[in-house]
Amino acid sequence: MDTIKSSADISHLFSTGRRLKTPYLTLIIGGEGKSPRASRHDLQGRVAFIAGKKLGNAVWRNSSKRRMREVCRALGGPWPGYDVIFLAKSSLTDASYSKVLKACDKAVAHSCLGAVEEKRG
């Protein structure tokens, strides 16, 4: 899984990306050609998993990131041509995995990523 490591790319996505909100996390999606630096990453897609320090301690943040990575895998990510940020909310670790997955699946189905999934399958 290719991740977004550059803080410039993450800041660019925060300012220009499309936000999909669920009760457990927020997805920030940047489309094709919107990256400030075009590279080989644009072809295969990248993801980032963010759990802020304001929301919990290290145990909570690590647990949240593990859960977000697994949700991303289950949804078929990373998506070709798209950069996606998974941004944790405080309710992420309290909810069951199936509820989180169902909410994210619904959000992805209504987004531009849903069309990518239909092309793959």
Side-chain angles (χ1 to χ4, degrees), residues 99-113:
K99 285 183 181 179
V100 174
L101 183 60
K102 188 175 182 179
C104 291
D105 188 29
K106 187 176 180 181
V108 166
H110 293 309
S111 73
C112 53
L113 299 178

Side-chain angles (χ1 to χ4, degrees), residues 20-27 89 91 100 103-108:
L20 301 173
K21 296 181 180 181
T22 72
Y24 312 108
L25 54 90
T26 300
L27 299 170
K89 291 185 179 179
S91 59
V100 174
C104 291
D105 188 29
K106 187 176 180 181
V108 166

